[in-house]
Amino acid sequence: MNVKLRVLSAGALFFLGQAAFAQKTKKDTTSKETRIEEVVVLGYSKTATKAKSTAASTTISSETLENRPNSTFLNSIQGTAPGLSVNSNSGSPGSGKIDILIRGLGSLNASADPLYVIDGLSTSATQFRNLNPNDIESLSILRDAQATSIYGNRGANGVIVINTKTGKFNSGLRLSYDALTSFSTYPKTDYNMANGTQFMQIIHNYDDTLISQDEVNANTTNTDWSKEFMRTGISQQHNLAIQAGGENVSLYSSLGYLNNEGVIKGTDFQRFTFRNNITGQSKNKKFTYAAMLNVAYSKRHQLDEEENSGISANSVQNVLFGTLLSDPSLGPYPFNNGKEMYAAVGGASSGVRPWVLYDNLIGGVQNKYEETTINGNFKTSYKLTDYLTVGNRTGIDYRMSDRSFARSPLGYLSNAVAVPTGAAFGGSETLNNIKDFNFNTVTNVTYNQQFGEHDITVGVYMDYMKSHYITKQQTQNGLDPLLWKLGAGTGYIPFSSDTPSFYAPSINASKISGGTLAYFATVDYDYAGKYGVSGVVRRDASYRFSGENKWETFWSVGGRWNIDKEAFMGDTKFRMLKLRASYGTQGNQNLGSAVNNQNPMFLFPNYYIDIINATAAGTGGYQNTYGYLYRLGNPYLQWEKQAMANVGLDFNYNGVIEGTFDVYRKLTSNLFNGTTVSAGVGSSTFYTVNGNNGEMENKGIEASLKGNIIRKQDFRLSVFANAGYNKNKIKSLPNESLVDDNVNAIGGPAYQWQLYHYVGVNPETGEMQFLDKNGNITEAPTANDRVLTGKSIYAKVNGGFGFDVDYKGFFANALFSFQAGGWQYDNLHAWTMDPSYAAAGLNVSADLLNAWTPENTGSDVPSVTALNTGTDGSSDRFLYKTDFVRLKNVSLGYSFTKNQLQNLPIRSLKLFVQAENLYTWTKWKGYDPEPVAQYSLGVYPNPKTISVGVNVEF
């Protein structure tokens, strides 16, 4: 019987179409169908069948995550669930710069990240580079208040519940090995960049005193800098797993290794993981337990820009500019190191920017990040009576990271800084160590009993979390190139009072402790499988707030009507037709938006306290008084709060067509914002106090649909699609600021563009033309001519679609992802269309060769000598849609049958080839429309990856 079954950690089996179809014998002409209900995994290890769930949730199985060339599972879930937006802002291997939104942007200034729950315990992490995706059994995306209010202070932005794999009782011993080899390449752009001769011609056209026509004609150098800075990244991953199960004990244990080369030279990621999950039960099955441990170590070499957004527009430090903006008339880097380069060119780096960037890439700037994580938890449950169960789950989440960053003493930048000052030794090294420890324990008492057709479950819980954070950092200025090695602590030049401006070290440290405490109760009632009501009330406390604001209450209530169970539905083929509705509240205690590698639990821990600064005079305080009030605290600071209403419909018609529809409204109040105070308090930087004000609304529609078109024993075909539409609107703000190009305006979406309109080229003069605020054409717009466009950086529509097909052992599946409605300013394109940048040594687009001239008056490219060049910076000339449809993943392969393997000592064998980000349909001209940002500078492109793999089970 060739039936594909999946196993959820809750122990329920279900087929992809939520039903398994089996025949008793091959001669049986009556196809008997055995329905095995899908299990929905909810909060705090609660589960419910799909039919009895009142929540809006989507479960993603392990098959979506396994055997993908991604260092984190977050990159693999794009396009898999309605209402889920996944945008990778960096293709650097092991990067944590990934934006995850559930049902739109939930906050303007506080964290908008969802809460992640691993094996029943909450984590404050926002990146998961050290979690092996092959160890994940299932993911549940919880979207509405009925599903998320149980998490109270942390559930405002949705919840992602992760269950890792466990062994199965009475399953015997199974050994599996997976291997994957991948080849990654960088995507192309549509900027039409100039070659060496074209570049020189554009400079000549712009200013013929800089380069003569004879010099242009004599050029023979056309360097392709993309080949100098980029490569085909070769990666491999190996996973070895053991599963075993006796009558009362089961085991899942795995080892994983990943080595991932980046498409930009000098970037890579390595990871080692070990997981050991043990589950057990007493003979009478009243006592159950689970012990889960994951240990991982990773290291990555990354670009400076990955951690330092301050260099995103720096053309001699941001290596990401090297491929496009490098002068193609300049030959490749000819030196052994930057010290040699400085001896040859001195401080005149503007004419040799590509050499500076290349020197940074090959060792002039070094950046290594290492992370060790230990995640462990122990779960117990004891059934006191047939109706009463007590349980506890306690665990730790420990992370230690070390970042070693240096400007090498042999690098160009360090010599360019040191030599002019007279310092004999250049270079600097910064070592940063962070320890992040979280302890979480959840205790519960659950009562469940049936009275005829009535079924009621009541749970009472206590959730306690304690967190500790320690960071230490030291910086050494002055490195001996003969002795220094990154992170080794060698080659440091000692400080001398004779030269106090040289070699001065610095050191700093910080320590934060925080925690949360919550008591809550849940109730679930079902009558005859037709009607159900669920509710939760939760009382939360957080260390972030003081006094009476420390505690807050959150709640939700949901109901369902299983229409298919009604008598009047008896003759229909609906296996499920369920209407559900919910309303509830959640909170957001994470007042800061965590960037790469940060834990939001520790951001802004003391904003309710007045902070006294004990630094030298002149650094702040009233009249620059030494030690005076530095920052005014706000004892009235509170949580951000959300209220969400949801109405949904789930259906399954004869196992052929199934899907969900949801409509929701989410209102965020008490937005975390600055409130203006007297300018007499503190320096000019501190005219505001952090407080709560303003409202923001998200309204949307979500839908998912799946069709099991062919369901024969040797041929199965299914297609699926999901989409979510979200409309974001700022309802109120106390201090609306409209001074920038991208603003938060009342009545419009968050991060809305405010620009004046570009209308084209004046055919008579070649100057750029715009519309002023009154709609009149002007060639000299001002900031006052900008208008609100209604266009936001956030896409309104996200989703995915695809198919799965199996035919006599051959299989093929594809996942397409898409987004629409977002807008980003492509200032990288703006740079390539500015001829003055060519004169400054930066490569530009060959489209400038078609610029307006008195002989070419019909051109849509302004004159290279236009007087108003640069005034388009606050216009919509380079504002582009970030819409795309992407072939996110496609795989082809063959699974050998048992008959084919009967003479081999293996149970199963699968060979396959797959591609990630294979092709993207978009009008975006740059590398990648996926990153969510205001501007396109400093983006490490997400690569295209082709992989070949094998899965073997013994």
Side-chain angles (χ1 to χ4, degrees):
M1 181 177 68
N2 186 18
V3 178
K4 190 176 187 180
L5 296 176
R6 297 180 178 179
V7 183
L8 281 181
S9 61
L13 301 175
F14 68 99
F15 178 62
L16 187 61
Q18 297 169 3
F21 303 93
Q23 293 180 332
K24 285 186 175 180
T25 66
K26 291 185 178 180
K27 295 181 181 180
D28 187 359
T29 58
T30 303
S31 178
K32 289 193 175 182
E33 298 181 357
T34 303
R35 296 186 60 192
I36 303 175
E37 294 186 277
E38 180 182 348
V39 172
V40 177
V41 181
L42 300 171
Y44 292 93
S45 301
K46 289 182 59 180
T47 61
T49 63
K50 183 69 174 179
K52 292 187 177 181
S53 172
T54 60
S57 66
T58 301
T59 298
I60 301 169
S61 74
S62 60
E63 294 180 354
T64 302
L65 310 174
E66 293 172 340
N67 304 313
R68 301 278 290 271
N70 300 317
S71 58
T72 170
F73 73 87
L74 296 175
N75 282 328
S76 299
I77 62 175
Q78 185 186 79
T80 59
L84 174 68
S85 170
V86 180
N87 294 85
S88 176
N89 291 336
S90 173
S92 179
S95 175
K97 297 169 71 172
I98 304 176
D99 283 332
I100 309 292
L101 295 179
I102 297 177
R103 293 189 164 179
L105 183 69
S107 178
L108 293 179
N109 298 307
S111 173
D113 294 316
L115 171 68
Y116 297 90
V117 179
I118 302 177
D119 290 326
L121 292 179
S122 302
T123 175
S124 297
T126 57
Q127 54 83 14
F128 297 91
R129 64 172 67 91
N130 275 16
L131 178 61
N132 188 345
N134 277 43
D135 287 336
I136 297 176
E137 181 67 36
S138 69
L139 289 174
S140 291
I141 314 297
L142 310 184
R143 304 192 300 275
D144 71 341
Q146 179 53 37
T148 62
S149 292
I150 194 173
Y151 289 101
N153 63 44
R154 289 168 285 177
N157 297 308
V159 181
I160 297 180
V161 178
I162 304 165
N163 288 305
T164 60
K165 294 177 179 178
T166 59
K168 311 301 180 289
F169 296 128
N170 301 309
S171 61
L173 177 66
R174 290 177 179 264
L175 176 67
S176 63
Y177 170 69
D178 303 333
L180 193 71
T181 300
S182 306
F183 305 88
S184 299
T185 58
Y186 56 93
K188 306 297 183 181
T189 68
D190 195 27
Y191 293 139
N192 188 27
M193 301 304 293
N195 61 29
T197 302
Q198 292 171 327
F199 174 71
M200 296 177 67
Q201 185 68 56
I202 292 168
I203 297 175
H204 173 76
N205 294 347
Y206 174 74
D207 186 348
D208 57 13
T209 66
L210 298 175
I211 295 180
S212 68
Q213 189 63 50
D214 290 340
E215 290 176 299
V216 174
N217 297 337
N219 177 65
T220 59
T221 302
N222 290 288
T223 303
D224 184 354
W225 285 103
S226 64
K227 294 182 179 180
E228 300 296 318
F229 284 86
M230 290 190 170
R231 65 185 174 189
T232 297
I234 301 175
S235 306
Q236 59 176 314
Q237 59 175 293
H238 304 272
N239 292 285
L240 181 67
I242 298 174
Q243 296 187 60
E247 181 180 357
N248 296 311
V249 178
S250 70
L251 168 72
Y252 171 84
S253 188
S254 73
L255 287 171
Y257 172 72
L258 171 67
N259 188 344
N260 190 347
E261 279 188 346
V263 294
I264 295 180
K265 293 177 181 178
T267 60
D268 57 46
F269 177 72
Q270 282 186 290
R271 180 183 65 206
F272 302 86
T273 62
F274 169 72
R275 175 169 290 278
N276 194 60
N277 290 351
I278 299 174
T279 58
Q281 61 186 8
S282 61
K283 286 187 177 182
N284 61 8
K285 297 182 175 54
K286 288 188 174 182
F287 177 71
T288 62
Y289 65 90
M292 300 179 173
L293 176 68
N294 181 68
V295 180
Y297 167 79
S298 65
K299 67 177 180 179
R300 59 192 300 250
H301 293 92
Q302 57 192 19
L303 302 180
D304 185 15
E305 192 276 338
E306 185 79 8
E307 301 279 351
N308 183 8
S309 60
I311 66 166
S312 62
N314 193 313
S315 61
V316 294
Q317 292 190 49
N318 189 350
V319 172
L320 295 172
F321 289 146
T323 56
L324 289 177
L325 300 183
S326 291
D327 177 357
S329 67
L330 181 70
Y333 184 80
F335 308 103
N336 291 316
N337 55 56
K339 192 177 182 70
E340 286 186 7
M341 177 182 165
Y342 185 81
V345 304
S349 62
S350 60
V352 289
R353 283 187 178 91
W355 291 352
V356 179
L357 295 175
Y358 191 81
D359 180 70
N360 296 346
L361 186 71
I362 63 173
V365 176
Q366 300 181 33
N367 195 357
K368 183 173 72 171
Y369 186 88
E370 300 174 89
E371 185 176 79
T372 301
T373 59
I374 301 174
N375 306 97
N377 72 66
F378 186 73
K379 174 188 176 183
T380 59
S381 176
Y382 186 75
K383 199 167 187 179
L384 295 173
T385 70
D386 291 340
Y387 315 114
L388 192 63
T389 303
V390 296
N392 176 269
R393 186 185 290 268
T394 298
I396 63 167
D397 182 358
Y398 173 76
R399 299 170 186 270
M400 183 179 71
S401 60
D402 285 285
R403 183 187 179 216
S404 303
F405 172 81
R407 285 189 175 185
S408 166
L410 292 175
Y412 176 83
L413 290 179
S414 63
N415 281 272
V417 171
V419 173
T421 66
F425 296 94
S428 66
E429 178 178 76
T430 298
L431 304 179
N432 180 251
N433 175 265
I434 296 175
K435 293 183 176 69
D436 180 345
F437 178 84
N438 295 274
F439 170 82
N440 191 198
T441 181
V442 179
T443 301
N444 69 285
V445 179
T446 304
Y447 171 83
N448 173 255
Q449 191 168 11
Q450 291 182 331
F451 305 92
E453 293 187 303
H454 304 273
D455 189 339
I456 186 168
T457 301
V458 178
V460 179
Y461 298 77
M462 183 190 76
D463 183 350
Y464 173 72
M465 175 179 282
K466 185 68 173 178
S467 303
H468 302 279
Y469 175 90
I470 299 175
T471 178
K472 292 173 285 187
Q473 179 174 298
Q474 66 180 54
T475 298
Q476 170 65 38
N477 294 297
L479 306 173
D480 186 338
L482 298 178
L483 301 175
W484 175 80
K485 183 177 178 60
L486 182 68
T490 58
Y492 288 1
I493 305 302
F495 171 76
S496 173
S497 58
D498 295 335
T499 55
S501 60
F502 300 153
Y503 320 135
S506 64
I507 187 168
N508 61 70
S510 65
K511 180 178 181 180
I512 302 171
S513 293
T516 62
L517 176 66
Y519 302 96
F520 57 100
T522 64
V523 60
D524 297 279
Y525 169 76
D526 172 73
Y527 174 71
K530 295 181 182 180
Y531 316 108
V533 177
S534 299
V536 59
V537 60
R538 173 165 171 146
R539 187 71 173 158
D540 260 298
S542 172
Y543 83 107
R544 293 188 182 278
F545 312 109
S546 65
E548 61 185 21
N549 293 322
K550 189 178 292 290
W551 287 90
E552 187 59 74
T553 301
F554 305 100
W555 59 273
S556 71
V557 62
R560 60 174 171 81
W561 176 26
N562 294 74
I563 306 173
D564 59 293
K565 301 295 184 181
E566 298 290 351
F568 60 80
M569 296 289 291
D571 295 331
T572 70
K573 293 185 179 181
F574 276 99
R575 295 180 174 176
M576 181 171 62
L577 182 61
K578 181 183 64 177
L579 182 66
R580 50 184 165 77
S582 67
Y583 183 85
T585 63
Q586 312 89 26
N588 185 5
Q589 68 146 357
N590 290 328
L591 301 182
S593 182
V595 298
N596 189 22
N597 306 319
Q598 282 188 323
N599 183 337
M601 183 74 173
F602 303 113
L603 295 177
F604 312 138
N606 51 13
Y607 267 12
Y608 65 91
I609 302 173
D610 293 346
I611 300 299
I612 306 300
N613 186 34
T615 59
T619 62
Y622 178 64
Q623 294 183 344
N624 292 323
T625 305
Y626 176 83
Y628 200 78
L629 183 64
Y630 181 72
R631 192 195 70 213
L632 187 65
N634 181 5
Y636 305 105
L637 189 65
Q638 302 177 35
W639 327 70
E640 284 193 341
K641 300 176 183 178
Q642 281 189 2
M644 189 189 310
N646 188 96
V647 177
L649 180 71
D650 302 327
F651 64 91
N652 183 322
Y653 184 78
N654 199 32
V656 177
I657 298 178
E658 57 185 292
T660 65
F661 292 96
D662 281 276
V663 179
Y664 65 88
R665 179 180 183 266
K666 180 170 67 173
L667 182 67
T668 304
S669 59
N670 278 12
L671 285 173
F672 180 60
N673 279 311
T675 301
T676 302
V677 295
S678 169
V681 179
S683 69
S684 60
T685 308
F686 307 102
Y687 288 168
T688 61
V689 61
N690 296 287
N692 302 95
N693 46 68
E695 289 186 336
M696 184 169 63
E697 178 186 66
N698 285 276
K699 295 192 294 185
I701 301 174
E702 299 166 347
S704 65
L705 191 65
K706 181 177 179 181
N708 301 305
I709 299 175
I710 300 175
R711 299 178 293 169
K712 296 182 179 180
Q713 186 172 359
D714 58 357
F715 185 20
R716 297 191 299 274
L717 171 64
S718 63
V719 296
F720 58 88
N722 71 80
Y725 168 80
N726 179 273
K727 182 179 180 181
N728 176 275
K729 182 180 180 180
I730 297 174
K731 303 278 286 183
S732 65
L733 284 176
N735 302 308
E736 183 184 52
S737 177
L738 302 179
V739 298
D740 295 321
D741 293 341
N742 192 266
V743 298
N744 290 318
I746 297 173
Y751 297 96
Q752 176 184 187
W753 289 104
Q754 180 184 229
L755 306 165
Y756 40 79
H757 184 52
Y758 174 76
V759 295
V761 179
N762 186 331
E764 297 181 358
T765 64
E767 298 290 311
M768 293 184 288
Q769 293 184 324
F770 310 89
L771 293 182
D772 64 17
K773 62 181 178 181
N774 297 315
N776 301 316
I777 291 180
T778 179
E779 294 181 0
T782 68
N784 292 329
D785 291 318
R786 295 178 305 185
V787 296
L788 294 172
T789 63
K791 300 172 181 178
S792 169
I793 64 174
Y794 289 97
K796 293 181 178 180
V797 179
N798 291 274
F801 60 92
F803 66 83
D804 291 283
V805 59
D806 290 272
Y807 179 71
K808 294 184 177 180
F810 292 95
F811 63 88
N813 55 70
L815 171 65
F816 295 81
S817 61
F818 62 86
Q819 73 175 29
W823 297 80
Q824 186 179 148
Y825 190 91
D826 192 355
N827 51 344
L828 186 56
H829 187 207
W831 286 21
T832 68
M833 294 298 292
D834 189 332
S836 67
Y837 279 66
L842 299 175
N843 196 20
V844 291
S845 172
D847 292 348
L848 289 173
L849 293 173
N850 187 40
W852 181 97
T853 64
E855 297 77 27
N856 185 27
T857 58
S859 176
D860 60 353
V861 179
S863 169
V864 295
T865 59
L867 298 177
N868 62 357
T869 296
T871 56
D872 53 355
S874 289
S875 79
D876 60 3
R877 181 186 177 190
F878 298 104
L879 185 68
Y880 291 99
K881 291 181 178 180
T882 54
D883 299 1
F884 69 81
V885 176
R886 169 170 289 165
L887 181 50
K888 183 65 179 177
N889 180 265
V890 59
S891 63
L892 302 169
Y894 182 75
S895 296
F896 290 83
T897 66
K898 290 184 178 180
N899 290 334
Q900 292 171 323
L901 300 173
Q902 61 182 350
N903 295 323
L904 297 175
I906 57 177
R907 295 174 183 262
S908 65
L909 175 63
K910 181 171 73 173
L911 304 175
F912 61 92
V913 59
Q914 71 164 359
E916 198 88 5
N917 301 326
L918 184 61
Y919 191 80
T920 302
W921 292 267
T922 183
K923 292 184 178 180
W924 180 257
K925 291 180 176 292
Y927 281 118
D928 194 352
E930 182 176 325
V932 178
Q934 295 177 6
Y935 302 102
S936 61
L937 295 181
V939 174
Y940 192 126
N942 289 295
K944 300 178 182 180
T945 304
I946 306 294
S947 307
V948 293
V950 58
N951 301 150
V952 185
E953 185 176 292
F954 300 91

